[in-house]
Amino acid sequence: MKKMMKAVTIATLAVGMIGTSAFAATADWTEVKGIFNSKIKVVIEGKGPSDITPLIVDGTAYLPVREMGNTFGLNVTWNEQESRIDIQQMKPPVDVQSLDGIVLDVQEGKDGVRYVDVLNQGADAVNAIVRLVVPADFKVTDNKSETHDASVLKAGMKIEATHSLAMTKSIPPQAKAESIKIVHELGMTEGTIQSVQSTDHGLTIKVSDKADDPTAGVVLHVSKDTKLMSGVIGGEAVAQDQLKQGMKVKAYYGPVMTMSLPPQSAAQAIFVLDSNDNEAK
């Protein structure tokens, strides 16, 4: 492709972006004489001939820049203010899926590969939980653009990630991680809901295993953005009005927390644990 591009002079003639008012006689313009030769065929990457007809000036073939740009994956635009033609490489087609969520679990497999379960907090998430397959030599970044080994990943981290569109049909579905950025770390608590109060913005619940201690546990503010699910892996969505006193839950909250007793924070995700198995799986 590069040899062919060197052999063809791409001219701004026929670019289709310069108005007729620009053709006033000035020192910026040089008059030339040329002909369109329809007998000359243009074959691109062995395909063709194309519909492009070259303009011949003094033995040199000139081709329209926009058509050639489209052929070679280049984006051609006309900058009116600067009287400039801008040619840029087009962005490749999107072949990854974005993921914004909370790390629920990290397991290490063979050869240093890690399996990272992530709760997808996206509003239009198709899969509530995705298992990212992270290679042993994978590097993650943080909010300071510093890189780290994947061994730093742990439950409770808020991350932004991209993964391959190829996913298994397992529960949860698995996909190869393409990028992972650690945004911040969240707090986590597991206990029993001691109280539930309705507010203008949702619910306020107190989670603690010490019912007789008013300062123990944490007060969580539940909003429409809080992810509510039954179980942890493969659970179903739970409505706010299903949260009841006495339920065993596991909750992720933050990143901001008050210094009060008990402390208060925004609930990011709450999992209602099975009454017969209160341990997160």
Side-chain angles (χ1 to χ4, degrees), residues 143-223:
N143 53 15
K144 296 181 181 178
S145 298
E146 297 179 357
T147 58
H148 307 272
D149 292 335
S151 59
V152 302
L153 293 171
K154 61 181 181 180
M157 284 182 167
K158 170 80 172 182
I159 66 169
E160 295 173 354
T162 59
H163 61 78
S164 169
L165 292 178
M167 303 180 72
T168 66
K169 294 183 179 180
S170 57
I171 298 177
Q174 299 185 29
K176 181 183 177 182
E178 298 294 338
S179 69
I180 298 177
K181 175 184 177 181
I182 301 171
V183 180
H184 50 242
E185 290 191 38
L186 298 172
M188 189 276 290
T189 187
E190 186 172 334
T192 303
I193 298 179
Q194 301 296 337
S195 63
V196 180
Q197 294 181 341
S198 297
T199 68
D200 293 338
H201 304 288
L203 297 176
T204 294
I205 66 174
K206 181 183 178 184
V207 179
S208 173
D209 278 333
K210 298 180 179 180
D212 57 347
D213 187 350
T215 64
V218 60
V219 174
L220 300 176
H221 299 285
V222 183
S223 69

Side-chain angles (χ1 to χ4, degrees), residues 18 35 56 79 106 116 130 134 176 184 210 258 274:
I18 304 177
I35 58 171
I56 309 301
N79 188 321
V106 180
V116 182
V130 174
V134 181
K176 181 183 177 182
H184 50 242
K210 298 180 179 180
T258 67
D274 190 293

Side-chain angles (χ1 to χ4, degrees), residues 63-75:
L63 297 171
V65 66
R66 183 178 295 281
E67 283 81 353
M68 293 301 294
N70 291 337
T71 299
F72 291 103
L74 301 173
N75 187 36

Side-chain angles (χ1 to χ4, degrees), residues 78-254:
W78 169 244
N79 188 321
E80 180 71 30
Q81 184 176 2
E82 300 291 337
S83 296
R84 185 183 70 224
I85 298 171
D86 291 331
I87 304 175
Q88 296 178 323
Q89 188 71 43
M90 289 183 181
K91 293 183 179 180
V94 178
D95 57 358
V96 296
Q97 178 69 46
S98 297
L99 177 65
D100 181 9
I102 301 170
V103 176
L104 302 178
D105 189 29
V106 180
Q107 299 179 26
E108 188 167 349
K110 295 181 180 179
D111 301 322
V113 175
R114 287 177 172 79
Y115 299 95
V116 182
D117 293 337
V118 183
L119 173 67
N120 195 342
Q121 291 183 290
D124 56 350
V126 176
N127 300 292
I129 297 174
V130 174
R131 178 167 291 170
L132 298 179
V133 181
V134 181
D137 58 350
F138 194 89
K139 299 295 182 182
V140 303
T141 60
D142 57 24
N143 53 15
K144 296 181 181 178
S145 298
E146 297 179 357
T147 58
H148 307 272
D149 292 335
S151 59
V152 302
L153 293 171
K154 61 181 181 180
M157 284 182 167
K158 170 80 172 182
I159 66 169
E160 295 173 354
T162 59
H163 61 78
S164 169
L165 292 178
M167 303 180 72
T168 66
K169 294 183 179 180
S170 57
I171 298 177
Q174 299 185 29
K176 181 183 177 182
E178 298 294 338
S179 69
I180 298 177
K181 175 184 177 181
I182 301 171
V183 180
H184 50 242
E185 290 191 38
L186 298 172
M188 189 276 290
T189 187
E190 186 172 334
T192 303
I193 298 179
Q194 301 296 337
S195 63
V196 180
Q197 294 181 341
S198 297
T199 68
D200 293 338
H201 304 288
L203 297 176
T204 294
I205 66 174
K206 181 183 178 184
V207 179
S208 173
D209 278 333
K210 298 180 179 180
D212 57 347
D213 187 350
T215 64
V218 60
V219 174
L220 300 176
H221 299 285
V222 183
S223 69
K224 61 180 179 61
D225 296 323
T226 304
K227 284 283 187 176
L228 304 176
M229 297 185 66
S230 62
V232 176
I233 302 300
E236 298 179 351
V238 173
Q240 280 192 20
D241 58 10
Q242 291 180 273
L243 294 179
K244 303 296 183 181
Q245 184 177 352
M247 281 183 169
K248 187 78 172 181
V249 297
K250 183 173 185 177
Y252 294 90
Y253 57 86

Side-chain angles (χ1 to χ4, degrees), residues 11-15 32-42 51-58 60-65 67:
T12 60
L13 298 176
V15 73
V32 297
K33 293 182 179 180
I35 58 171
F36 285 104
N37 190 341
S38 59
K39 292 184 178 181
I40 298 178
K41 306 300 181 183
V42 178
D51 294 331
I52 301 174
T53 301
L55 176 68
I56 309 301
V57 179
D58 295 332
T60 299
Y62 291 83
L63 297 171
V65 66
E67 283 81 353

